């Protein structure tokens, strides 16, 4: 087991949440091979220890899309965050703002843009999916602009939702899902009280505001499947540019050629991501994909990376592999589910401390000094998972 604060928060989240929600967060696509590799590949990257270099002056500050960040970390867009803690998007966004880092609101958040943005003393980021309903896309971009959103994160690795079999087992979807969810809620009283009762309304806030009527959670899976658009291509992104003059970041890049296309398109940044192993199982971990992408496009746009980051060492590893900044997904969600906004604040403080230790002991005094020189060796060649071969053959 890989020990970190998010291991503890994960265990606490599992105790608190109804299983359908815990497994929705925790799970990935198919056999969850990529999900595991995201975490394990990062943990295998060895850092080069350096000593006696007078590390008394250390700066984690970084500039990204005309913003100053206290450290090169942002919270990733996570759908249904308001189901994991009471009005969870507001709590997580406030913890991020207090730490001096960006929060990214998902298209499929519980709290709408208009509920989250006014509670913050820094601009938030907004994530948009490519959807068949272009009217919704236009209107939500206008709302984001009106709410002072600075950066648009455009997620492109979900032309269709991935197959997540845990959801069918846990009651998120599948036979008798609604009845199973109710049963799970009543047997998890801390959650039922905090979120079930006082965290209402439970709907997709951004979409309900547009449609003028509630989009309930039972509509969620259906709405996603009906609205994702597999016909999307780079050309379709051009009209979005007309609506969005601010920084635009393309999330879900895993191949150097796609990264080059993002440069050609004029993106301000990319997120090297496999959606936390939730889309195509068997693709490369982000840690493996990142160095080739950085070789291809570093300096032409900002490179963010996510998938598998669980602690401050992982942040430093991603930066050493070529990222300018990272996004946290499950790491912050486990903390939020376990302990609300205070949990997210504590996690971010721990990540900062872990980064400081890593920087002091690798001799990097600032974020710009974190480079491939900090790495002892590349990742070893890809191995089949021990014991998995026979599982698959069975
Ligand atoms: C429960 C859950 C919901 C997510 N929802 C979204 C979403 O609405 N939009 C999006 O672009 N990415 C979404 N993601 C992916 C995250 O933004 C991020 O890429 C991923 O969590 C990174 O991997 P990690 O969780 O291993 O850090 C979601 C991830 C999780 C775990």
């Amino acid at each position: 087991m890989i020990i970190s604060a998010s291991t503890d928060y994960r265990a606490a989240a599992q105790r608190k949440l109804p299983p359908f929600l815990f497994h929705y967060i925790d799970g990935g696509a198919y056999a969850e091979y990529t999900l595991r590799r995201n975490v394990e590949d990062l943990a295998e990257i060895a850092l080069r220890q350096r000593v006696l270099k007078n590390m008394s002056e250390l700066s984690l500050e970084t500039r990204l899309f005309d913003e100053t960040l206290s450290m090169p970390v942002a919270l990733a867009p996570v759908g249904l965050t308001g189901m994991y803690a009471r009005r969870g998007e507001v709590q997580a966004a406030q913890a991020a703002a207090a730490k001096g880092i960006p929060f990214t609101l998902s298209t499929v958040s519980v709290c709408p843009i208009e509920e989250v943005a006014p509670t913050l003393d820094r601009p938030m980021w907004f994530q948009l999916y490519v959807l068949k309903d272009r009217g919704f896309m236009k209107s939500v971009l206008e709302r984001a602009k009106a709410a002072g959103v600075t950066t648009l994160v455009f997620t492109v690795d979900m032309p269709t939702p991935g197959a997540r079999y845990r959801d069918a087992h846990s009651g998120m979807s599948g036979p008798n899902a609604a009845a199973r969810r109710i049963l799970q809620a009543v047997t998890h009283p801390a959650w039922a009280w905090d979120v079930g009762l006082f965290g209402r309304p439970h709907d997709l806030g951004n979409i309900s505001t547009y449609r003028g009527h509630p989009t309930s959670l039972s509509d969620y899976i259906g709405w996603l499947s009906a609205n994702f658009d597999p016909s999307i291509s780079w050309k379709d992104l051009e009209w979005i540019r007309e609506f969005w003059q601010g920084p635009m970041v393309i999330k879900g890049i895993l191949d150097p050629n796609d990264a080059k296309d993002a440069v050609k398109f004029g993106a301000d940044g990319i997120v090297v991501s496999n959606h936390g192993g939730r889309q195509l199982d068997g693709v490369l971990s982000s840690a493996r994909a990142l160095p080739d992408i950085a070789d291809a496009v570093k300096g032409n746009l900002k490179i963010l990376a996510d998938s598998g980051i669980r602690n401050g060492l992982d942040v430093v590893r991603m930066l050493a592999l070529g990222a300018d900044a990272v996004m946290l997904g499950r790491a912050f969600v486990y903390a939020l589910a376990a302990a609300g906004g205070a949990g997210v604040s504590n996690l971010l403080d721990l990540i900062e401390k872990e980064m400081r230790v890593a920087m002091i002991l690798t001799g990097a005094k600032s974020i710009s000094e974190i480079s491939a020189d900090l790495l002892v060796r590349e990742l070893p060649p890809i191995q089949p998972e021990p014991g998995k071969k026979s599982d698959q053959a069975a």
Side-chain angles (χ1 to χ4, degrees):
M1 177 190 290
I2 296 157
I3 300 293
S4 67
S6 46
T7 320
D8 289 344
Y9 278 131
R10 177 181 178 274
Q14 185 162 20
R15 287 192 294 272
K16 192 155 172 195
L17 292 173
F20 78 91
L21 287 175
F22 174 75
H23 290 292
Y24 178 67
I25 299 165
D26 197 60
Y30 292 89
E32 304 185 340
Y33 174 82
T34 299
L35 170 66
R36 282 188 294 280
R37 290 314 312 174
N38 279 338
V39 174
E40 289 168 9
D41 281 349
L42 271 171
E44 275 183 35
I45 293 168
L47 295 167
R48 186 184 301 281
Q49 176 165 300
R50 301 297 309 276
V51 294
L52 298 172
K53 294 178 84 64
N54 182 8
M55 299 299 291
S56 51
E57 304 260 316
L58 206 65
S59 168
L60 273 66
E61 226 177 67
T62 197
R63 294 275 302 161
L64 194 65
F65 311 130
D66 281 335
E67 287 179 45
T68 300
L69 279 56
S70 64
M71 56 182 180
V73 174
L75 300 193
V78 170
L80 302 188
T81 293
M83 293 305 292
Y84 317 139
R86 185 191 305 187
R87 311 314 285 166
E89 287 91 358
V90 173
Q91 292 199 56
Q94 288 183 340
K99 189 71 192 170
I101 64 166
F103 168 81
T104 317
L105 188 73
S106 163
T107 304
V108 287
S109 55
V110 169
C111 302
I113 301 171
E114 293 80 2
E115 181 178 346
V116 185
T119 70
L120 306 177
D121 58 9
R122 68 176 289 141
M124 73 175 181
W125 295 3
F126 181 70
Q127 173 265 327
L128 187 59
Y129 280 121
V130 192
L131 300 166
K132 285 187 182 149
D133 186 344
R134 300 289 148 99
F136 169 74
M137 290 175 72
K138 261 189 223 174
S139 124
V140 86
L141 285 178
E142 271 155 19
R143 287 163 54 198
K145 255 191 253 175
V149 166
T150 47
T151 297
L152 178 68
V153 176
F154 203 83
T155 300
V156 294
D157 60 1
M158 223 206 256
T160 185
R164 303 180 196 150
Y165 295 128
R166 269 210 229 187
D167 289 347
H169 285 269
S170 67
M172 183 73 179
S173 57
N176 306 317
R180 293 176 66 198
R181 290 201 294 265
I182 292 169
L183 191 65
Q184 291 177 16
V186 296
T187 52
H188 289 77
W191 178 89
W193 180 260
D194 182 36
V195 188
L197 205 57
F198 291 105
R200 292 177 173 275
H202 296 163
D203 69 350
L204 303 178
N206 293 322
I207 293 149
S208 301
T209 308
Y210 171 70
R211 289 164 126 194
H213 61 82
T215 307
S216 75
L217 293 184
S218 19
D219 293 343
Y220 174 58
I221 303 283
W223 187 86
L224 288 189
S225 322
N227 266 289
F228 282 105
D229 187 353
S231 75
I232 182 77
S233 70
W234 285 105
K235 234 178 152 20
D236 297 293
L237 268 63
E238 277 159 20
W239 73 265
I240 291 160
R241 260 288 181 223
E242 289 167 28
F243 279 83
W244 193 263
Q245 288 77 37
M248 190 164 158
V249 179
I250 311 291
K251 176 170 180 282
I253 298 288
L254 217 54
D255 187 276
N257 290 319
D258 287 340
K260 286 183 198 159
D261 284 345
V263 174
K264 262 190 243 153
F265 167 74
D268 301 275
I270 52 171
V271 186
V272 175
S273 171
N274 52 40
H275 216 104
R278 298 165 75 80
Q279 283 297 94
L280 181 57
D281 197 27
V283 294
L284 289 185
S285 67
S286 288
R288 268 189 197 280
L290 178 56
D292 287 348
I293 292 175
D295 277 352
V297 299
K298 182 103 180 167
N300 295 322
L301 40 58
K302 291 290 181 189
I303 303 176
L304 287 85
D306 75 16
S307 299
I309 298 167
R310 299 289 180 266
N311 55 54
L313 299 193
D314 292 342
V315 177
V316 171
R317 288 170 169 132
M318 283 294 202
L319 300 181
L321 292 171
D324 296 299
V326 305
M327 288 187 137
L328 302 177
R330 291 181 185 83
F332 95 80
V333 180
Y334 294 140
L336 179 75
V344 180
S345 294
N346 181 44
L347 177 89
L348 294 174
D349 287 346
L350 288 169
I351 284 187
E352 183 194 335
K353 277 190 197 138
E354 290 159 354
M355 283 185 70
R356 284 183 183 279
V357 172
M359 288 170 71
I360 290 172
L361 281 163
T362 53
K365 292 190 171 110
S366 65
I367 296 306
S368 60
E369 287 184 19
I370 300 178
S371 70
D373 293 347
L374 268 63
L375 303 173
V376 174
R377 62 174 163 81
E378 304 278 307
L379 279 166
I382 299 177
Q383 301 289 335
E385 293 225 304
K388 289 289 156 190
K389 257 186 175 169
S390 52
D391 286 354
Q392 279 170 7

